[in-house]
Amino acid sequence: MNPELILNLVAARDPRAPVLHAPGRRPLDGAGCLEQVERTVRALRQRGARPESRVAVVLPNGPELAVSFLAVSAAATFAPLNPQYPVQEFLFYLKDLGANVLITEEGFCPAAETAAAELGLPIWRLQPQPEQVAGRFLLDGPSIYAPVTASESVHRESIAMLLHSSGTTARPKLIPLTQANLCASAKNIARTLQLGERDLCLNVMPLFHIHGLIGALLSSVASGAAVFATPGFNAFRFTRWMKESGATWTSAVPSMYQALLARVGEQGSEDLCQFRFLRTGSSHIPAPVWQELESIFDCPVLNTYGMTEASHQMASNLLPPRIRKIGTVGPATGPEIAVMGEDGSLLPAGCAGEVVIRGETVTRGYLSPPSARETAFRNGWFRTGDEGRLDNDGYLTLIGRLKEMINVAGEKVAPAEVDEILLQHPAVGQASAFGVPCSTMGERVYAAVVLRGAADERELRRFVRDRLAKFKVPEKILIVDEIPKGATGKVQRVSLAARLGVAPAN
């Protein structure tokens, strides 16, 4: 049995042990999961889906989407899309994918169906069976090609999944990930987290994103653990799901954890000490948030570093008794990590430069646009676009996205550093610094904050001024009810000025 195929990760499960749970549903065990996956694979092949066929999937978050990933990737190429896209964005993504068919539920996403119809794309209907165990469904739809023979099966280098980059700084890039990429990443994560059959992940991440698909779902499948598949993050339901599931861990982005901390502050702390650990990633977690989470949940927080192009996790802090370093994303836990200078040389410990990676989880390159393919690698290393430095123990500290660094008259400001200071103020619950174009200074530093106590802009600016160099102090601090976030819960700094209606400064 080839361990580098997603189907074989499913087949290797204990047939009696649970794989998937969901709110109010009976669990799906290993035998039931394998049966559903194999049945779906047969349905795909009968309708002409080949390993190279690109199957766009637009479904609600939950157990059906989880099993769809396992099944579609076992026969073809899985390409999940955010159901919140409008028609024009679906048109772009479906065309850029070169999608052969769309899988969706009847009436769930009219925008996706409208775009598919405009492109002449066949639609396969997924029909959930909510009265059955979690993750059961039927699939119906027209054939797209002649039936596929069993000999036309996926192999380790088959593209298992296609995902787009966020596209916050440029045209979204199309990222292919192979069966071998994803299986290696899932095993790396399972090893880092020491996952086993007694573990259950409370998944609140969207399953159209690499974090939820690999960080939560496939790592659990690969280790014999289970997943509680929710409809998505909800601060009001989190505690209830935690208790219902008996989960031993969860993985979320920092903004979700900040919302949870605010909820605990409003409602009072319940018994939140059941997790073995909390995992966070996809964006920077400020040290005050990290420390407060550990205090409230009474368990270690594992700060991680990942990106779609590396099949998710690249580095992670480690479980006790191994060393964790607050402020870092830990040592490499998968691909090899180095720091590269502007001349392409690798820099020694303590020096800042671009973080570069190589290894078995890393994509071989973008499929589109051509300009992205040409600049993705340098001297055999994949360029992450992040600035960071390694210490003598190999622990990586991220300084920021190179494209997010704020250039104030030649002085570089890391937005995360400003966030950290603002969050030390007792009245600040969330903070995000960002750059605003300026005709005289290049850029100026602004920040948006969500308060959880009494404070005004003058007080907050004075607080920062006492702790940071003058050029790092925000020119203006916007007090808002909510900081705009992307579909996966991450704050997208490069678009914050536009989303908050901030005009260029003079």
Side-chain angles (χ1 to χ4, degrees):
M1 179 180 286
N2 186 343
E4 296 176 312
L5 299 182
I6 291 172
L7 178 60
N8 289 341
L9 296 184
V10 178
R13 300 273 315 201
D14 180 343
R16 298 162 298 177
V19 177
L20 270 176
H21 303 252
R25 303 276 293 276
R26 291 179 292 121
L28 178 71
D29 62 19
C33 185
L34 181 61
E35 192 277 332
Q36 178 67 56
V37 167
E38 290 180 333
R39 187 199 327 163
T40 306
V41 167
R42 289 194 297 271
L44 294 172
R45 288 175 171 165
Q46 288 167 2
R47 290 165 174 77
R50 287 165 165 74
E52 65 274 15
S53 299
R54 298 178 178 185
V55 181
V57 178
V58 180
L59 292 170
N61 224 47
E64 289 78 21
L65 180 50
V67 177
S68 294
F69 162 60
L70 300 173
V72 173
S73 63
T77 301
F78 178 76
L81 294 173
N82 181 356
Q84 299 301 315
Y85 288 147
V87 172
Q88 287 304 311
E89 285 196 87
F90 274 120
L91 286 170
F92 166 79
Y93 286 110
L94 291 171
K95 284 192 286 189
D96 199 54
L97 284 170
N100 299 106
V101 66
L102 169 68
I103 292 180
T104 190
E105 286 184 24
E106 181 80 43
F108 168 65
C109 187
E113 296 197 32
T114 297
E118 187 168 329
L119 296 172
L121 200 62
I123 295 177
W124 290 342
R125 304 287 182 189
L126 184 143
Q127 301 168 19
Q129 296 179 289
E131 72 285 355
Q132 300 286 334
V133 294
R136 285 287 194 185
F137 60 82
L138 301 174
L139 191 65
D140 190 29
S143 295
I144 55 173
Y145 303 112
V148 178
T149 63
S151 62
E152 296 181 74
S153 57
V154 301
H155 54 83
R156 68 181 306 275
E157 292 305 320
S158 295
I159 297 175
M161 183 160 64
L162 287 171
L163 292 170
H164 280 91
S165 65
S166 60
T168 55
T169 58
R171 179 190 186 276
K173 298 182 283 287
L174 184 58
I175 305 161
L177 298 171
T178 66
Q179 295 276 333
N181 288 153
L182 298 184
C183 290
S185 184
K187 292 172 186 175
N188 288 340
I189 296 165
R191 185 164 47 249
T192 300
L193 303 179
Q194 300 176 13
L195 296 180
E197 292 182 1
R198 295 184 179 181
D199 282 304
L200 193 155
C201 175
L202 174 58
N203 180 54
V204 294
M205 292 299 297
L207 293 175
F208 55 77
H209 187 263
I210 195 81
H211 187 150
L213 286 167
I214 310 305
L217 175 61
L218 199 60
S219 65
S220 296
V221 171
S223 61
V227 174
F228 189 84
T230 73
F233 177 72
N234 186 312
F236 295 92
R237 297 181 181 178
F238 185 90
T239 303
R240 187 174 73 203
W241 288 335
M242 186 180 78
K243 297 302 180 186
E244 178 185 344
S245 65
T248 60
W249 67 286
T250 191
S251 189
V253 298
S255 60
M256 294 176 180
Y257 285 125
Q258 287 175 293
L260 278 178
L261 291 174
R263 178 71 177 158
V264 169
E266 292 172 3
Q267 299 296 313
S269 178
E270 301 180 36
D271 180 13
L272 299 176
C273 303
Q274 78 177 48
F275 288 130
R276 190 161 66 84
F277 60 86
L278 300 174
R279 181 177 184 270
T280 184
S282 297
S283 62
H284 172 73
I285 182 168
V289 177
W290 185 331
Q291 293 164 332
E292 189 174 359
L293 282 170
E294 292 202 338
S295 174
I296 294 292
F297 285 90
D298 192 29
C299 68
V301 171
L302 303 186
N303 190 25
T304 69
Y305 174 43
M307 65 190 307
T308 303
E309 291 90 336
S311 307
H312 190 41
Q313 183 174 289
M314 300 181 284
S316 175
N317 272 272
L318 306 172
L319 286 164
R322 295 175 295 178
I323 296 172
R324 287 180 303 128
K325 296 186 181 183
I326 288 183
T328 78
V329 293
T333 52
E336 186 180 355
I337 295 177
V339 174
M340 183 175 284
E342 292 183 2
D343 62 356
S345 64
L346 298 185
L347 302 177
C351 293
E354 183 174 10
V355 179
V356 293
I357 57 171
R358 64 184 181 189
E360 61 184 346
T361 67
V362 181
T363 183
R364 291 186 175 181
Y366 299 108
L367 297 183
S368 69
S371 58
R373 296 199 301 270
E374 294 162 6
T375 59
F377 290 87
R378 188 175 189 183
N379 300 336
W381 292 85
F382 180 83
R383 305 177 62 186
T384 66
D386 292 316
E387 185 175 10
R389 58 176 170 268
L390 292 163
D391 68 13
N392 290 325
D393 297 321
Y395 281 62
L396 177 65
T397 297
L398 295 175
I399 298 169
R401 290 290 295 170
L402 290 172
K403 292 181 179 179
E404 289 181 348
M405 298 295 284
I406 305 169
N407 189 338
V408 182
E411 298 279 8
K412 297 295 179 63
V413 180
E417 183 181 12
V418 182
D419 295 355
E420 291 269 3
I421 297 301
L422 282 166
L423 285 163
Q424 290 175 19
H425 192 287
V428 176
Q430 298 178 43
S432 185
F434 58 97
V436 173
C438 174
S439 58
T440 57
M441 304 285 286
E443 288 182 290
R444 294 183 185 269
V445 181
Y446 277 46
V449 301
V450 176
L451 296 179
R452 58 180 179 184
D456 58 21
E457 181 186 5
R458 179 180 297 180
E459 177 185 343
L460 295 177
R461 291 189 71 247
R462 185 168 57 247
F463 184 84
V464 178
R465 192 184 307 118
D466 290 343
R467 290 161 175 80
L468 288 179
K470 183 178 178 180
F471 68 89
K472 299 178 181 180
V473 178
E475 184 92 1
K476 188 170 183 59
I477 297 177
L478 307 175
I479 297 174
V480 298
D481 293 331
E482 183 178 4
I483 297 174
K485 301 175 183 67
T488 59
K490 289 194 293 184
V491 175
Q492 299 172 333
R493 296 184 198 270
V494 292
S495 62
L496 264 186
R499 297 184 71 175
L500 291 169
V502 178
N506 295 320

